[in-house]
């Protein structure tokens, strides 16, 4: 393996990448040599068809054009069409001035107002024109994209076309790494020209054109030309009742290619501006809610996703983003982000647990948790275009974090007749820190023959997490009139560390006029260590120095993978398909060195097919279908065979005999965009099926059971461990239809969808299949009146049907709905009124959680000073004092209703100052107007 990686690393020096050539020119009026703004330029041959429009100066530029002969067409209303055959061969092509002659009827005396359509379909990219979505002058990008059909923001997560946005770029450049929320909240809407939504391929696949399965949904923000030079942003500070405060802002310095952005955020009102990647899983334990995360659940994710609804968070965060062009060959972008968060959360949960085919138990838990964390995150991307045939890409990232968490809970388990089974009072304190270091190097080369390329990359990663957890618990177990007591006082010291190394070699060769074949090879190696030592308390020394060997374990996991494949692609930009097959061999080795020694080795061989079909059905519609098979390996924490007894009513343990799961994902997307009418239709469907799905096996003790010399599973308590089961399905589909309603100058969006999840589990050695079916529908009305009148109405409803093969009497249906109205009014002399009202209704939950409440926020303010850059605003949150946070969790083992702590009513007075100093835009020498599309 090491020799192979050395050879592949050497290819980084001698390998090659796709050629990327630029074709430039300028369209102008032949009569007076004035640049034509908005002229349509098309570049086309058998395998490529690209269309763009000229800038205000008439300049245009095509990028990433391969060698070949093309037909260039330049057209503009009122002028004769210009056509020319050109050839791109080994270097950029400068076309110079292209003069168009007047033709047909002169437009000198004709005044036509140009109107850009709200949405346009450009190949695989759905483009929204920001000018067609009216927002108030102080709106940010998040306010803008919320008005665009198919784009939603859910709990701070940006989604488009049903998929989470994993990257957001500004003019094609990185902005705070993968943190889309940073761009949404800290860039003003007024600088945006277009929002482009597309499926972004991986860096290597962008060159080869073959989808390697590492792509994701992305958004690119194109800024207005007149907003690309200058300083702009907004800063604010406010103080309110209950000692609530907020402060911060963002300042951007744009100077052509060099761009620097500074952001800051300081508040105790739940405004959070960091992503899940900032959290390394260093969270406090002790809760009985062990659902699908941690040791069980597909993939065993260790990320703790921060939600603005759960608890009250005090945040202190700041960051800087930098991007520039160094010379003519190096493009660089990087960011540093720091945040310190203190989250306080009280929660109440009611859980009905499946016990046998005709019985169940109930568990109620009240917890009080405080989670403190600090994080440093650094991202960088450097692209070096060595020459026209070679390029080098380096992408490092660093993440450091420390945490300090405490959790106090009281839990009661009972029978349906309310007779108690057991209870516990538990206090857990956790201190930890960790880091993630990752780097990718990709070298690319293009051969003289069109379509022939070679690329080689290597990825390395290093991670470490360590924690010290103190647990103090007293539990009571009811046995008729007799009560048994059990106390726990222990300290758990854990460290998980590891590294990974992988390489990727890809070679493409043209086949015929429209075909291309790719050969790929991908070896990888992952090494993970997990060391957990549990110490009992010694009263004599007042220390935790009694090692409990039954709760201690040292475990190592190694995964070696060899993967090679071949793929074939045929077609052009309007219609293409690809099909491929990978052969993969994987070896999983587990080494336990403490308290006993042992080795377990498993080998897996898989054939993993993939296919993709994309077709442009018309100028308005296109269809994309895909299928891909992949594997998923268990994490070292899921494999480690050691009991976690932090909550004496709910024990968990790992399973070293876990195998890799194999999933098949397929789906499709149909889009229809009528640019002239401003309407769009989006239909999406996805399905994911998994064999050897990593689920949970839960055992409830009917009598006291001794697990180890120091650990007893008392009657009514549960032990859960991850296992492999077949039968997992996750399917969903939705339809979004949007169109303008001119009578009220608004955009209307209807959406409807359905989702089905089937999850397998074992309950007391009996197989259970949980089926969850959700039907949803909604309506959004977004105003497009003016910057002075802005309103938004939304309504959504969800109806859920849950069935179980294990215990049919626990089947249930529940319903929730949300309706909201937001209104922003602004006068020309600076007075403003903001208000939003939202109603939440829940039915079919447990009695205490069936609620119907309103959340009403309001603000009044006045803008003043030069250009109304200053503003003073008085706001009130939760005017009616009814705020709630309620959710239902459905698994194959239980159904749980959860209510968490939320912010309650407060008033706040806030001062805002707007920074706006843009460079003077070049004045147009002459303006041409036309009907049609830009």
């Amino acid at each position: 393996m090491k020799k192979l990686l050395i050879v592949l690393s050497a290819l980084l020096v001698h390998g090659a990448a796709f050629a990327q050539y630029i074709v430039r020119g300028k369209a102008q009026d032949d009569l007076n040599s004035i640049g034509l703004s908005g002229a349509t330029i098309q570049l086309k041959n058998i395998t490529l068809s690209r269309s763009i429009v000229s800038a205000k100066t008439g300049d245009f530029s095509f990028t990433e054009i391969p060698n070949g002969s093309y037909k260039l067409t330049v057209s503009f209303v009122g002028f004769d069409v210009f056509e020319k055959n050109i050839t791109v061969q080994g270097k950029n092509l400068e076309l110079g001035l292209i003069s168009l002659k007047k033709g047909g009827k002169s437009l000198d005396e004709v005044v036509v107002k140009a109107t850009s359509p709200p949405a346009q379909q450009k190949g695989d990219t759905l483009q929204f024109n920001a000018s067609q979505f009216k927002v108030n002058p102080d709106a940010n990008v998040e306010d803008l994209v919320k008005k665009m059909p198919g784009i939603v923001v859910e709990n701070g997560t940006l989604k488009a076309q049903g998929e989470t946005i994993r990257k957001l770029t500004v003019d094609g450049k990185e902005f705070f790494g993968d943190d889309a929320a940073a761009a949404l909240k800290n860039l003003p809407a007024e600088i945006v020209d277009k929002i482009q939504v597309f499926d972004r391929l991986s860096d290597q696949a962008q060159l080869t054109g073959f989808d390697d399965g590492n792509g994701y949904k992305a958004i690119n923000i194109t800024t207005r030309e007149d907003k690309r030079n200058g300083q702009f942003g907004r800063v604010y500070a406010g103080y309110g009742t209950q000692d609530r405060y907020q402060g911060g802002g963002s300042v951007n310095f744009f100077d052509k290619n060099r761009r620097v952005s500074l952001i800051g955020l300081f508040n105790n009102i739940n405004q959070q501006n960091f992503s899940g990647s900032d959290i390394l899983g260093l969270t406090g334990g002790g809760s009985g809610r062990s659902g699908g995360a941690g040791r069980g659940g597909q993939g065993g994710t260790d990320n703790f996703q921060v939600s603005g609804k759960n608890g009250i968070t005090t945040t202190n965060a700041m960051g800087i983003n930098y991007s520039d062009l160094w010379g003519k060959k190096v493009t660089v972008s990087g960011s540093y982000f720091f945040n310190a968060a203190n989250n306080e959360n009280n929660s109440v949960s009611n859980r009905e647990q499946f016990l046998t085919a005709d019985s169940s138990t109930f568990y109620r838990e009240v917890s009080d948790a405080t989670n403190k964390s600090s994080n440093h995150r650094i991202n960088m991307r450097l692209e070096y275009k060595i020459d026209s045939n070679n390029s080098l890409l380096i992408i490092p990232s660093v993440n450091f974090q420390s945490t300090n968490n405490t959790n106090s809970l009281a839990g009661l388990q009972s029978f349906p007749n309310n007779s108690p089974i057991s209870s516990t009072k538990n206090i857990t304190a956790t201190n930890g820190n960790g880091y993630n270091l990752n780097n990718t190097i990709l070298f690319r080369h293009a051969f003289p023959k069109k379509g022939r390329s070679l690329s080689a990359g290597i990825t390395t990663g290093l991670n470490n997490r360590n924690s010290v957890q103190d647990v103090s618990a007293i539990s009571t177990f009811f046995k008729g009139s007799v009560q048994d007591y059990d106390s726990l006082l222990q300290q758990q010291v854990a460290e998980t560390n590891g590294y990974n190394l992988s390489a990727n070699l890809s070679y493409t060769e043209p086949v015929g006029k429209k075909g291309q074949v790719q050969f790929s090879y991908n070896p990888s190696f992952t090494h993970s260590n997990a060391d957990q030592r549990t110490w009992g308390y010694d009263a004599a020394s007042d220390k935790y120095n009694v090692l409990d060997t039954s709760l201690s374990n040292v475990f190592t996991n190694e995964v070696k993978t060899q993967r090679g494949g071949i793929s074939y692609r045929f077609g052009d930009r309007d219609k293409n398909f690809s099909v491929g097959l990978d052969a993969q061999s994987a070896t999983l080795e587990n080494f336990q060195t403490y308290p006993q020694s042992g080795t377990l080795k498993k080998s897996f061989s898989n054939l993993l097919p993939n296919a993709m079909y994309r077709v442009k059905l018309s100028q308005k519609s296109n269809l994309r279908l895909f299928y891909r098979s992949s594997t998923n390996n268990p994490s070292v924490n899921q494999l480690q065979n050691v009991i976690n007894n932090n909550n004496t009513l709910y024990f968990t343990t790992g399973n070293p005999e876990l195998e890799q799961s194999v999933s098949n994902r397929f789906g499709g997307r149909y889009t229809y965009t009528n640019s002239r009418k401003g309407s769009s239709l989006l239909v999406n469907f996805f399905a994911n099926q998994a064999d050897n799905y990593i689920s949970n096996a839960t055992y409830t003790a009917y009598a006291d059971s001794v697990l180890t010399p120091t650990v007893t599973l008392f009657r009514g308590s549960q032990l859960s461990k991850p296992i492999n089961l077949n039968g997992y399905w996750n399917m969903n589909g939705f339809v979004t239809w949007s169109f303008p309603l001119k009578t009220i100058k608004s955009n209307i969006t209807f959406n409807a969808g359905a989702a089905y999840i089937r999850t397998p589990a074992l309950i007391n050695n009996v197989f259970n299949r949980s089926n969850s079916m959700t039907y949803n529908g909604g309506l959004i009305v977004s105003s497009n009146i003016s910057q002075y009148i802005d309103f938004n109405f939304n309504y959504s409803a969800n109806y859920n049907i849950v069935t179980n093969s294990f215990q049919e009497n626990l089947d249930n249906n529940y319903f929730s709905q949300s309706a909201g109205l937001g209104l922003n009014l602004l006068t020309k002399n600076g007075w403003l009124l903001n208000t939003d009202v939202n109603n939440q209704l829940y039915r079919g939950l447990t009695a205490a959680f069936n609620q119907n409440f309103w959340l009403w926020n309001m603000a009044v303010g006045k803008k003043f000073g030069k250009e109304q850059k200053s503003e003073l605003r008085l706001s009130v949150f939760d005017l009616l004092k009814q705020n709630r946070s309620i959710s239902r969790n459905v698994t194959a083992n239980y159904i749980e209703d959860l209510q968490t702590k939320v912010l309650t009513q407060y008033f706040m007075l806030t001062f805002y100052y707007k920074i706006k100093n843009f460079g003077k835009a070049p004045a147009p020498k002459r303006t041409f107007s036309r009907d049609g599309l830009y």
Side-chain angles (χ1 to χ4, degrees):
M1 172 66 70
K2 293 182 178 178
K3 292 181 179 179
L4 175 61
L5 293 175
I6 292 173
V7 173
L8 292 175
S9 299
L11 288 173
L12 298 178
V13 180
H14 301 287
F18 251 56
Q20 297 182 6
Y21 303 118
I22 300 174
V23 178
R24 296 191 188 93
K26 179 177 181 179
Q28 67 175 16
D29 184 345
D30 179 64
L31 183 62
N32 50 29
S33 300
I34 294 178
L36 297 178
S37 172
T40 299
I41 299 94
Q42 185 182 53
L43 197 63
K44 187 176 182 180
N45 66 5
I46 297 177
T47 60
L48 180 144
S49 179
R50 299 270 295 275
S51 294
I52 59 175
V53 294
S54 61
K56 291 184 177 181
T57 58
D59 294 295
F60 63 86
S61 176
F62 291 94
T63 59
E64 300 181 359
I65 302 299
N67 289 327
S69 298
Y70 300 89
K71 181 179 181 180
L72 176 75
T73 304
V74 183
S75 60
F76 193 81
V77 174
F79 289 78
D80 291 333
V81 176
F82 175 89
E83 294 181 344
K84 182 180 181 181
N85 293 323
I86 64 172
T87 300
V88 177
Q89 185 60 48
K91 63 180 181 179
N92 297 336
L93 181 60
E94 301 290 344
L95 298 173
L97 298 175
I98 298 176
S99 299
L100 273 64
K101 297 182 179 181
K102 281 289 187 71
K105 180 180 178 180
S106 173
L107 298 181
D108 288 345
E109 303 301 325
V110 179
V111 178
V112 181
K113 185 177 181 180
T115 302
S116 299
Q120 295 170 276
Q121 189 69 44
K122 292 181 173 291
D124 300 326
T125 300
L126 182 59
Q127 177 174 287
F128 297 97
N129 294 297
S131 61
Q132 299 305 301
F133 299 89
K134 306 298 183 183
V135 292
N136 66 68
D138 296 324
N140 56 29
V141 176
E142 182 177 29
D143 299 321
L144 177 65
V145 299
K146 283 181 179 179
K147 291 179 173 288
M148 298 174 177
I151 304 179
V152 296
V153 179
E154 297 179 356
N155 296 329
T157 300
L158 179 65
K159 293 185 176 181
Q161 300 173 349
E163 300 179 66
T164 299
I165 297 297
R166 288 177 48 191
K167 186 176 289 293
L168 192 151
T169 55
V170 180
D171 291 327
K173 298 179 180 180
E174 301 275 332
F175 192 86
F176 282 101
D178 294 331
D179 193 350
L184 291 175
K185 296 181 180 297
N186 295 291
L187 286 178
E190 65 177 319
I191 73 166
V192 179
D193 182 29
K194 294 177 177 62
I195 298 290
Q196 299 166 328
V197 182
F198 58 99
D199 295 311
R200 179 167 177 165
L201 300 176
S202 67
D203 290 303
Q204 190 166 25
Q206 288 180 44
L207 300 175
T208 65
F210 286 86
D211 189 349
D212 57 7
N214 296 317
Y216 47 86
K217 185 68 68 177
I219 281 182
N220 180 54
I221 299 173
T222 301
T223 59
R224 292 170 47 182
E225 288 188 18
D226 59 340
K227 304 295 184 182
R228 295 177 182 174
N229 290 285
Q231 305 83 43
F232 59 92
R234 197 184 193 203
V235 294
Y236 60 90
Y239 187 78
T241 58
Q242 302 181 39
D243 289 327
R244 298 296 173 196
Y245 66 87
Q246 63 172 341
S250 64
V251 182
N252 302 274
F253 303 88
F254 281 21
D255 183 10
K256 297 179 181 179
N257 291 313
R258 180 177 298 167
R259 300 181 177 186
V260 179
S261 299
L262 304 174
I263 62 173
L265 190 70
F266 315 95
N267 69 84
N268 61 355
I269 56 173
N270 265 10
Q271 292 182 2
Q272 303 170 47
N273 189 38
F274 50 92
S275 64
S277 62
D278 291 330
I279 308 298
L280 302 179
L282 301 170
T283 57
S287 173
R289 295 187 296 273
S290 57
R295 297 190 183 277
Q298 179 73 13
T301 176
D302 289 317
N303 278 344
F304 171 62
Q305 296 297 326
V306 179
S307 170
K309 288 185 177 180
N310 296 336
I312 300 176
T313 301
T314 299
T315 302
N316 297 298
M318 60 184 66
I320 179 171
N321 187 80
Y322 170 82
S323 63
D324 199 1
L325 180 63
W326 292 351
K328 296 181 179 181
K329 295 185 176 183
V330 179
T331 301
V332 64
S333 62
S335 63
Y336 166 74
F337 193 82
F338 166 79
N339 73 267
N342 183 0
N343 176 267
E344 298 179 356
N345 186 27
N346 300 328
S347 64
V348 178
S349 67
N350 287 338
R351 177 191 293 184
E352 184 171 7
Q353 303 166 139
F354 308 151
L355 190 60
T356 66
D358 57 1
S359 65
S360 59
T361 60
F362 293 86
Y363 177 73
R364 177 178 174 83
E365 181 180 289
V366 179
S367 70
D368 186 0
T370 300
N371 300 314
K372 299 178 181 179
S373 66
S374 62
N375 175 271
H376 301 266
R377 170 162 47 96
I378 302 173
N379 296 281
M380 187 176 178
R381 180 185 176 95
L382 186 147
E383 185 171 0
Y384 174 36
K385 293 185 178 180
I386 303 172
D387 52 39
S388 59
N389 293 327
N390 299 280
S391 64
L392 179 67
L393 188 64
I394 303 175
I395 310 174
S397 64
V398 182
N399 193 343
F400 294 94
Q401 187 191 53
S402 62
T403 61
N404 185 342
N405 307 322
T406 60
N407 185 23
S408 175
L409 70 85
L412 174 64
Q413 190 170 214
S414 60
F415 291 111
N417 61 3
N418 293 325
S419 60
I421 302 173
S422 56
S423 66
T424 186
K425 292 184 178 180
N426 183 300
I427 300 176
T428 305
T430 307
N431 291 295
N433 56 74
Y435 61 80
N436 281 332
L437 309 175
N438 296 283
N439 187 46
T440 296
I441 301 175
L442 180 62
F443 191 75
R444 308 171 292 196
H445 173 75
F447 293 93
K449 185 176 181 178
K450 178 185 175 182
R452 179 181 294 170
S453 69
L454 178 69
S455 59
I458 187 167
T459 298
T460 57
L462 186 66
N463 64 83
N464 179 278
R465 288 182 297 165
N466 59 79
S467 64
V468 177
Q469 187 174 75
D470 295 338
V471 181
S472 173
I474 298 178
S475 301
T476 304
F477 300 92
F478 302 89
K479 302 176 181 179
S481 59
V482 179
Q483 298 180 10
D484 285 344
Y485 298 93
D486 183 55
S487 62
L488 180 67
L489 195 60
Q490 67 181 31
Q491 183 179 83
Q492 184 185 94
V493 180
E495 180 177 8
T496 301
N497 60 71
Y499 63 89
N500 59 81
L501 183 64
S502 65
N504 200 332
L505 180 65
S506 177
Y507 173 80
T508 62
E509 179 71 21
V511 178
K513 293 183 178 181
K514 292 188 177 183
Q516 192 177 24
V517 65
Q518 174 182 260
F519 300 93
S520 61
Y521 176 58
N522 175 217
S524 64
F525 177 74
T526 301
H527 178 92
S528 302
N529 298 310
D531 186 338
Q532 178 176 306
R533 310 290 176 106
T534 301
W535 304 84
Y537 179 72
D538 179 29
S541 62
D542 192 26
K543 293 180 180 180
Y544 292 99
N545 56 12
V546 181
L547 180 63
D548 190 337
T549 58
S550 64
L551 296 176
S552 302
N553 185 277
V554 179
F555 190 89
T556 299
N557 170 247
E558 290 185 350
V559 181
K560 302 174 184 177
T561 303
Q562 303 281 346
R563 181 168 179 164
I566 181 173
S567 300
Y568 174 73
R569 186 183 66 178
F570 179 83
D572 52 29
R573 186 177 179 85
D574 292 338
K575 183 178 181 180
N576 59 79
F577 78 91
S578 64
V579 61
L581 181 66
D582 289 350
Q584 178 177 289
S585 174
T587 301
L588 276 66
E589 288 190 84
N590 301 326
F591 308 94
Q592 181 173 302
T593 58
Y594 185 85
Q596 294 90 25
S597 298
T599 301
L600 180 63
K601 182 177 180 180
K602 293 185 178 182
S603 297
F604 305 94
S605 297
N606 302 100
L607 292 177
L608 305 173
N610 65 83
M612 189 276 296
Y613 175 70
R614 183 184 290 114
V615 59
K616 181 179 180 181
L617 301 175
S618 68
Q619 293 297 326
K620 300 178 181 178
S621 61
N622 63 66
L623 175 68
R624 178 179 181 266
L625 303 173
F626 72 91
Y627 164 76
R628 181 169 293 277
S629 180
S630 61
T631 60
N632 180 67
N633 295 316
S635 68
V636 66
N637 296 107
Q638 290 176 317
L639 294 165
Q640 189 177 21
N641 187 22
V642 60
I643 295 174
N644 186 325
N645 65 334
N646 290 345
N647 186 327
T648 54
L649 306 187
Y650 293 91
F651 291 177
T652 62
T653 185
N655 182 4
E657 296 185 357
L658 283 176
E659 299 183 353
Q660 67 173 200
S661 62
V662 180
S663 62
N664 297 282
R665 188 170 188 265
F666 51 93
R669 179 172 62 246
Y670 170 80
T671 57
Y672 172 87
T673 305
N674 190 323
S675 301
R676 291 189 178 276
K677 293 184 178 180
S679 62
S680 63
L681 174 67
L682 174 67
V683 182
N684 268 23
F685 67 93
F686 302 99
N688 189 38
Q689 178 270 338
D691 294 324
N692 277 337
Y693 174 77
I694 301 178
S695 183
N696 285 306
T698 303
Y699 170 76
T700 302
Y702 292 93
D704 295 351
S705 303
V706 178
L707 302 181
T708 73
T710 60
V711 178
T712 299
L713 186 68
F714 289 93
R715 184 180 74 96
S717 298
Q718 289 187 353
L719 174 65
S720 177
K721 74 173 183 178
I723 60 171
N724 294 108
L725 290 174
N726 292 327
Y728 174 82
W729 279 90
N730 188 338
M731 298 182 288
N732 65 82
F734 70 92
V735 178
T736 299
W737 178 38
S738 179
F739 59 91
L741 189 60
K742 296 182 180 180
T743 54
I744 58 173
K745 293 184 178 180
S746 300
N747 294 319
I748 313 295
T749 300
F750 291 96
N751 56 74
Y756 170 73
I757 300 177
R758 186 173 73 181
T759 307
L762 278 184
I763 303 174
N764 294 323
N765 296 319
V766 178
F767 180 80
N768 181 40
R769 183 173 60 246
S770 173
N771 301 284
S772 176
M773 189 74 195
T774 302
Y775 301 94
N776 58 74
L779 166 69
I780 299 175
V781 182
S782 299
S783 68
N784 239 349
I785 301 174
S786 73
Q787 62 179 344
Y788 300 105
I789 302 175
D790 181 24
F791 69 84
N792 180 286
F793 171 78
N794 63 83
Y795 173 81
S796 63
N798 293 272
Y799 182 69
N800 301 268
I801 303 173
V802 179
T803 62
N804 292 274
S805 63
F806 178 69
Q807 194 175 143
E808 295 182 358
N809 63 304
L810 290 179
D811 297 349
N812 72 99
N813 305 335
Y814 58 99
F815 174 81
S816 65
Q817 73 173 25
S818 174
L821 174 65
L823 177 65
N824 297 325
L825 300 178
L826 177 66
T827 66
K828 292 185 178 180
N829 59 0
W831 287 100
L832 62 89
L833 170 66
N834 297 338
T835 183
D836 64 84
V837 183
N838 185 270
N839 173 258
Q840 298 282 342
L841 181 144
Y842 300 89
R843 291 292 182 264
L845 308 182
T846 49
F849 295 85
N850 284 324
Q851 299 190 25
N852 182 9
F853 58 89
W854 294 82
L855 178 61
W856 187 5
N857 305 321
M858 182 180 292
V860 293
K862 178 67 169 67
K863 294 179 179 293
F864 58 92
K866 185 178 180 181
E867 299 180 11
Q868 295 186 350
K869 291 182 179 180
S870 300
E871 176 189 324
L872 194 62
R873 180 182 301 190
L874 177 64
S875 57
V876 56
F877 176 82
D878 190 17
L879 186 62
L880 302 178
K881 297 183 178 180
Q882 295 185 14
N883 194 21
R884 304 285 190 277
S885 176
I886 298 172
S887 62
R888 166 161 284 197
N889 301 317
V890 178
T891 75
N893 306 88
Y894 59 83
I895 298 174
E896 178 186 56
D897 293 332
L898 175 67
Q899 181 169 331
T900 58
K901 181 179 181 180
V902 295
L903 278 172
T904 55
Q905 185 187 92
Y906 66 86
F907 293 80
M908 181 169 290
L909 184 66
T910 307
F911 172 76
Y912 298 87
Y913 182 76
K914 189 174 184 178
I915 302 169
K916 186 177 180 181
N917 182 27
F918 292 104
K920 188 176 181 180
K925 299 180 180 179
R926 184 177 177 183
T927 301
F928 290 90
S929 301
R930 66 187 183 112
D931 270 328
L933 305 179
Y934 283 93

